[in-house]
Amino acid sequence: EAAAIYCMENELPNYNLLSIGRTFIIIDCGGSTIDITTHKIVGNNPLQLSEVTELIRDFCGSTFIDDEFIKLLNEKFETRAIDLLKKNHYIKFRYIVFEFCQRVKKSFAGDDNTKF
């Protein structure tokens, strides 16, 4: 709800979208969950909104992508090697995951041919 209010007050006016009856969707992509709600503007003075759909939540946030990347590392380099890397050089292991996030995950746009 806080994100919806923020959008009503700060974003919708920038695009001339602040009008009674206007419906908009808030998608909050977090670390472990993604939350989706649909809201409708029902009043202008003061700004009022109603919830059109109940909150939809699923456990498919960005940390699950990190987990799949680590599974890929285990497949490519064998679990024992990755376990030893984590045990003996944990900071370097986290750096590998960090670099994956910076170079691949953040720029991914749905192209199945993305190379690591």
Side-chain angles (χ1 to χ4, degrees):
E1 192 171 317
I5 292 168
Y6 173 86
C7 286
M8 284 176 51
E9 293 177 350
N10 298 289
E11 298 299 326
L12 297 180
N14 295 338
Y15 302 97
N16 287 328
L17 297 175
L18 190 59
S19 58
I20 294 176
R22 174 72 63 184
T23 303
F24 60 100
I25 297 173
I26 300 294
I27 303 172
D28 177 7
C29 300
S32 60
T33 63
I34 294 179
D35 301 330
I36 302 172
T37 54
T38 306
H39 298 275
K40 185 177 199 174
I41 300 172
V42 294
N44 259 347
N45 197 7
L47 285 175
Q48 299 173 346
L49 69 134
S50 68
E51 194 172 80
V52 176
T53 60
E54 289 185 27
L55 171 73
I56 298 169
R57 172 174 287 158
D58 200 356
F59 293 93
C60 54
S62 68
T63 58
F64 291 97
I65 297 169
D66 299 351
D67 293 344
E68 290 300 315
F69 175 67
I70 293 168
K71 284 181 190 176
L72 176 66
L73 291 175
N74 284 320
E75 290 173 16
K76 295 285 184 185
F77 302 106
E78 299 184 13
T79 301
R80 185 173 181 278
I82 298 303
D83 286 345
L84 284 171
L85 178 64
K86 285 187 221 177
K87 180 181 175 185
N88 297 322
H89 304 283
Y90 186 74
I91 292 173
K92 290 180 181 178
F93 170 75
R94 291 309 312 164
Y95 183 74
I96 291 168
V97 176
F98 172 80
E99 283 296 312
F100 164 77
C101 293
Q102 295 300 309
R103 296 176 186 234
V104 178
K105 185 168 81 170
K106 285 186 177 182
S107 62
F108 182 73
D111 179 5
D112 289 339
N113 298 316
T114 301
K115 303 288 185 226
F116 301 117

